[in-house]
Short mmCIF file of all heavy atoms in Angstrom, two decimals:
data_model
loop_
_atom_site.label_atom_id
_atom_site.label_comp_id
_atom_site.label_asym_id
_atom_site.label_seq_id
_atom_site.Cartn_x
_atom_site.Cartn_y
_atom_site.Cartn_z
N ASP A 218 158.66 -41.76 -63.29
CA ASP A 218 159.03 -40.89 -64.33
C ASP A 218 160.30 -41.54 -65.10
O ASP A 218 160.77 -40.73 -65.92
CB ASP A 218 159.43 -39.45 -63.74
CG ASP A 218 160.45 -39.46 -62.64
OD1 ASP A 218 161.21 -40.55 -62.55
OD2 ASP A 218 160.59 -38.48 -61.86
N GLY A 219 160.63 -42.75 -64.77
CA GLY A 219 161.89 -43.22 -65.43
C GLY A 219 161.78 -44.73 -65.41
O GLY A 219 160.70 -45.35 -65.51
N ALA A 220 162.99 -45.42 -65.37
CA ALA A 220 163.06 -46.92 -65.34
C ALA A 220 162.64 -47.33 -63.97
O ALA A 220 162.99 -46.75 -62.92
CB ALA A 220 164.43 -47.28 -65.71
N GLU A 221 161.91 -48.42 -63.89
CA GLU A 221 161.54 -49.06 -62.66
C GLU A 221 162.89 -49.68 -62.04
O GLU A 221 163.52 -50.50 -62.70
CB GLU A 221 160.41 -50.18 -62.80
CG GLU A 221 159.54 -50.32 -61.61
CD GLU A 221 160.28 -50.84 -60.46
OE1 GLU A 221 161.03 -51.79 -60.60
OE2 GLU A 221 160.14 -50.29 -59.35
N ILE A 222 163.18 -49.26 -60.82
CA ILE A 222 164.49 -49.62 -60.26
C ILE A 222 164.64 -51.03 -59.95
O ILE A 222 165.66 -51.73 -60.18
CB ILE A 222 164.71 -48.72 -59.03
CG1 ILE A 222 165.02 -47.26 -59.51
CG2 ILE A 222 165.93 -49.26 -58.19
CD1 ILE A 222 165.10 -46.20 -58.28
N HIS A 223 163.61 -51.68 -59.43
CA HIS A 223 163.69 -53.13 -59.09
C HIS A 223 163.81 -53.96 -60.44
O HIS A 223 164.64 -54.92 -60.48
CB HIS A 223 162.49 -53.62 -58.26
CG HIS A 223 162.25 -52.89 -57.03
ND1 HIS A 223 161.21 -53.14 -56.19
CD2 HIS A 223 162.98 -51.88 -56.38
CE1 HIS A 223 161.25 -52.33 -55.20
NE2 HIS A 223 162.30 -51.59 -55.27
N GLU A 224 162.98 -53.65 -61.42
CA GLU A 224 163.08 -54.34 -62.73
C GLU A 224 164.45 -54.17 -63.38
O GLU A 224 165.03 -55.16 -63.88
CB GLU A 224 161.96 -53.86 -63.64
CG GLU A 224 160.60 -54.26 -63.09
CD GLU A 224 159.43 -53.53 -63.85
OE1 GLU A 224 159.67 -52.91 -64.83
OE2 GLU A 224 158.25 -53.95 -63.53
N ALA A 225 165.03 -52.95 -63.26
CA ALA A 225 166.27 -52.70 -63.89
C ALA A 225 167.40 -53.44 -63.21
O ALA A 225 168.16 -54.24 -63.81
CB ALA A 225 166.61 -51.18 -63.92
N THR A 226 167.40 -53.34 -61.94
CA THR A 226 168.40 -54.02 -61.10
C THR A 226 168.34 -55.45 -61.20
O THR A 226 169.35 -56.21 -61.31
CB THR A 226 168.40 -53.59 -59.61
OG1 THR A 226 168.46 -52.11 -59.48
CG2 THR A 226 169.44 -54.26 -58.77
N LEU A 227 167.15 -55.96 -61.05
CA LEU A 227 167.06 -57.43 -61.12
C LEU A 227 167.31 -58.08 -62.52
O LEU A 227 167.59 -59.20 -62.73
CB LEU A 227 165.67 -58.02 -60.58
CG LEU A 227 165.65 -57.74 -58.97
CD1 LEU A 227 164.17 -57.75 -58.50
CD2 LEU A 227 166.54 -58.74 -58.25
N SER A 228 167.19 -57.26 -63.53
CA SER A 228 167.49 -57.66 -64.92
C SER A 228 169.03 -57.72 -65.01
O SER A 228 169.52 -58.81 -65.48
CB SER A 228 166.99 -56.63 -65.89
OG SER A 228 165.56 -56.64 -66.06
N LEU A 229 169.64 -56.69 -64.55
CA LEU A 229 171.19 -56.77 -64.51
C LEU A 229 171.68 -57.94 -63.75
O LEU A 229 172.64 -58.65 -64.13
CB LEU A 229 171.72 -55.47 -64.01
CG LEU A 229 171.36 -54.16 -64.68
CD1 LEU A 229 171.89 -52.94 -64.00
CD2 LEU A 229 171.70 -54.13 -66.15
N TYR A 230 171.14 -58.13 -62.56
CA TYR A 230 171.45 -59.30 -61.76
C TYR A 230 171.23 -60.58 -62.42
O TYR A 230 172.08 -61.52 -62.42
CB TYR A 230 170.58 -59.20 -60.45
CG TYR A 230 170.82 -60.32 -59.40
CD1 TYR A 230 171.96 -60.58 -58.86
CD2 TYR A 230 169.67 -61.16 -59.14
CE1 TYR A 230 172.12 -61.57 -57.89
CE2 TYR A 230 169.90 -62.22 -58.27
CZ TYR A 230 171.04 -62.36 -57.69
OH TYR A 230 171.14 -63.48 -56.67
N SER A 231 170.09 -60.81 -63.04
CA SER A 231 169.81 -62.05 -63.85
C SER A 231 170.82 -62.26 -64.93
O SER A 231 171.27 -63.37 -65.14
CB SER A 231 168.37 -61.99 -64.39
OG SER A 231 167.52 -62.01 -63.29
N ILE A 232 171.20 -61.22 -65.62
CA ILE A 232 172.18 -61.38 -66.76
C ILE A 232 173.50 -61.87 -66.15
O ILE A 232 174.04 -62.80 -66.71
CB ILE A 232 172.25 -59.91 -67.44
CG1 ILE A 232 170.98 -59.55 -68.16
CG2 ILE A 232 173.51 -59.96 -68.39
CD1 ILE A 232 171.04 -58.15 -68.69
N ALA A 233 173.99 -61.20 -65.10
CA ALA A 233 175.23 -61.60 -64.45
C ALA A 233 175.19 -63.03 -64.03
O ALA A 233 176.02 -63.81 -64.14
CB ALA A 233 175.65 -60.66 -63.39
N LYS A 234 174.07 -63.34 -63.22
CA LYS A 234 173.92 -64.65 -62.62
C LYS A 234 173.87 -65.79 -63.60
O LYS A 234 174.21 -66.88 -63.32
CB LYS A 234 172.65 -64.63 -61.77
CG LYS A 234 172.61 -65.66 -60.62
CD LYS A 234 171.61 -65.26 -59.60
CE LYS A 234 170.15 -65.21 -60.12
NZ LYS A 234 169.33 -66.27 -59.54
N ASN A 235 173.39 -65.40 -64.83
CA ASN A 235 173.32 -66.46 -65.82
C ASN A 235 174.46 -66.49 -66.84
O ASN A 235 174.48 -66.87 -67.94
CB ASN A 235 171.92 -66.33 -66.64
CG ASN A 235 170.92 -66.75 -65.85
OD1 ASN A 235 170.59 -68.01 -65.72
ND2 ASN A 235 170.13 -65.91 -65.24
N GLY A 236 175.61 -65.94 -66.37
CA GLY A 236 176.83 -65.99 -67.06
C GLY A 236 177.10 -65.08 -68.26
O GLY A 236 177.94 -65.36 -69.13
N CYS A 237 176.24 -64.05 -68.32
CA CYS A 237 176.31 -63.07 -69.44
C CYS A 237 176.85 -61.74 -68.78
O CYS A 237 177.00 -61.62 -67.59
CB CYS A 237 174.98 -62.86 -70.11
SG CYS A 237 174.33 -64.35 -70.85
N THR A 238 177.16 -60.82 -69.71
CA THR A 238 177.55 -59.45 -69.25
C THR A 238 176.61 -58.51 -69.90
O THR A 238 175.73 -58.82 -70.71
CB THR A 238 179.05 -59.23 -69.54
OG1 THR A 238 179.36 -57.98 -68.96
CG2 THR A 238 179.33 -59.14 -71.09
N TYR A 239 176.64 -57.24 -69.38
CA TYR A 239 175.68 -56.21 -69.93
C TYR A 239 176.50 -54.90 -70.19
O TYR A 239 177.48 -54.62 -69.66
CB TYR A 239 174.55 -56.01 -69.03
CG TYR A 239 174.92 -55.66 -67.58
CD1 TYR A 239 175.23 -54.34 -67.31
CD2 TYR A 239 174.86 -56.55 -66.56
CE1 TYR A 239 175.61 -54.02 -65.96
CE2 TYR A 239 175.17 -56.26 -65.30
CZ TYR A 239 175.51 -55.02 -65.01
OH TYR A 239 175.91 -54.63 -63.65
N LYS A 240 175.85 -54.12 -71.05
CA LYS A 240 176.24 -52.69 -71.29
C LYS A 240 174.94 -51.92 -71.29
O LYS A 240 173.97 -52.19 -71.90
CB LYS A 240 177.03 -52.65 -72.62
CG LYS A 240 177.70 -51.26 -72.79
CD LYS A 240 178.71 -51.50 -73.98
CE LYS A 240 179.04 -50.11 -74.63
NZ LYS A 240 179.60 -49.05 -73.80
#
Side-chain angles (χ1 to χ4, degrees):
Chain A
D218 56 19
E221 208 296 312
I222 290 173
H223 302 179
E224 292 171 359
T226 300
L227 289 165
S228 293
L229 302 178
Y230 175 65
S231 293
I232 290 170
K234 202 160 62 113
N235 285 283
C237 300
T238 186
Y239 53 79
K240 191 164 154 59

